[in-house]
Amino acid sequence: ISFNTIDSALSSLKNCQSFINFGMDAATRVALDLVESFNDEEDINNMEKVMLEYAAMDRELNHYIKAFEETVNQMKREKPENLPDLETLAREKFLEMESKNSDSDLQRNEKYMYFKDQLKEMKKQYHGNDTIEQIDEDIAVTRSQMNFICPITQMTMKRPVRNKVCGHSYEEDAILEMIQTQKQKNKKVRCPKMGCSHVDVKGSDLVPHEALKRVIDSQNKQ
């Protein structure tokens, strides 16, 4: 069997991950819609179960791909005279990986963690108390105002992203432009939020702040 054929098959499998990611993104949006429309908590919990099912599929697919990649790379290094049964070897590696599975693996799935984070923010906005102390800084709610202003542009954010490291939010285009500009100068970017001590903002640390965007959009419609 040609290694190129296996590599091509693995590439196709990796494309399947995009469908899992799409499903998880859709489930997140549905859950946020449910919170926003004050649906029953059971419905929201069901969406969390869906997210965990997707996370399990993602883990299994990752293990399958990794098992075949390691097996193929091993054969390429060793170059045995008689090529063994690659499928059997890969399956053994796969089962070994699966035997170490735990629920905590799913809890650490990046998209599941994002789901939980955004869900918490939405619940605070629509079901929480009005006192600022009980709500995250970038989505602090009072009856009269919200913090929608980007610390870079000093304008209301349209596409807010949140820094996973320090928790602060910025307008997406503004922070990415700042990162790119400083990168060309071989310099790090300090978080532009006044008082923040984080000194190395990276594009990979930024995630869409869907909950904040929904609140901003809702406020703009009023």
Side-chain angles (χ1 to χ4, degrees):
I1 185 170
S2 169
F3 284 133
N4 289 336
T5 301
I6 296 177
D7 289 340
S8 178
L10 288 176
S11 179
S12 297
L13 280 177
K14 291 176 182 178
N15 288 334
C16 291
Q17 289 178 309
S18 64
F19 295 107
I20 293 176
N21 290 335
F22 178 83
M24 296 184 87
D25 289 341
T28 299
R29 289 193 296 270
V30 170
L32 295 180
D33 286 340
L34 291 173
V35 175
E36 194 171 358
S37 55
F38 296 91
N39 276 64
D40 191 273
E41 187 69 20
E42 184 178 351
D43 293 332
I44 298 170
N45 291 338
N46 285 335
M47 294 313 302
E48 182 171 354
K49 292 177 183 177
V50 170
M51 289 294 291
L52 288 171
E53 290 174 1
Y54 272 123
M57 285 190 286
D58 185 59
R59 178 180 62 188
E60 183 176 356
L61 182 58
N62 282 330
H63 284 171
Y64 192 78
I65 291 172
K66 186 177 180 180
F68 262 96
E69 285 181 336
E70 288 184 357
T71 301
V72 169
N73 289 335
Q74 181 182 342
M75 293 303 102
K76 287 181 178 179
R77 288 194 307 270
E78 298 176 358
K79 298 179 181 179
E81 186 173 335
N82 296 314
L83 196 64
D85 186 340
L86 294 180
E87 184 176 353
T88 299
L89 290 176
R91 181 163 183 79
E92 289 175 356
K93 288 181 181 291
F94 170 76
L95 292 176
E96 182 183 357
M97 294 176 191
E98 287 285 291
S99 68
K100 299 176 183 178
N101 286 348
S102 68
D103 291 342
S104 61
D105 297 336
L106 307 183
Q107 305 286 337
R108 291 193 297 268
N109 179 279
E110 186 171 347
K111 283 193 175 290
Y112 175 77
M113 291 171 63
Y114 173 75
F115 167 88
K116 293 289 289 183
D117 178 65
Q118 295 299 296
L119 202 60
K120 181 182 72 173
E121 297 292 355
M122 286 293 284
K123 286 182 177 180
K124 284 178 180 178
Q125 162 59 16
Y126 288 97
H127 302 299
N129 295 322
D130 289 331
T131 49
I132 292 178
E133 290 80 6
Q134 293 177 324
I135 301 177
D136 184 84
E137 179 184 353
D138 271 352
I139 200 166
V141 181
T142 65
R143 294 186 183 277
S144 60
Q145 71 176 53
M146 290 197 63
N147 190 359
F148 298 156
I149 305 301
C150 170
I152 304 170
T153 66
Q154 295 302 310
M155 298 174 64
T156 299
M157 290 180 278
K158 296 179 179 178
R159 290 193 299 177
V161 290
R162 186 174 186 178
N163 191 323
K164 293 185 293 184
V165 177
C166 63
H168 293 127
S169 297
Y170 334 96
E171 179 65 50
E172 182 179 25
D173 290 343
I175 188 64
L176 290 179
E177 182 179 352
M178 178 179 287
I179 291 172
Q180 183 61 31
T181 299
Q182 293 299 89
K183 183 178 180 180
Q184 292 174 352
K185 300 176 183 178
N186 292 320
K187 293 183 178 180
K188 296 180 179 179
V189 175
R190 171 183 284 275
C191 175
K193 187 75 174 181
M194 185 176 295
C196 182
S197 60
H198 183 45
V199 295
D200 189 12
V201 179
K202 299 176 181 177
S204 58
D205 292 329
L206 305 176
V207 293
H209 202 331
E210 180 66 24
L212 182 58
K213 183 179 186 302
R214 284 168 176 257
V215 177
I216 293 174
D217 290 345
S218 176
Q219 186 75 8
N220 289 337
K221 291 177 182 177
Q222 294 179 5

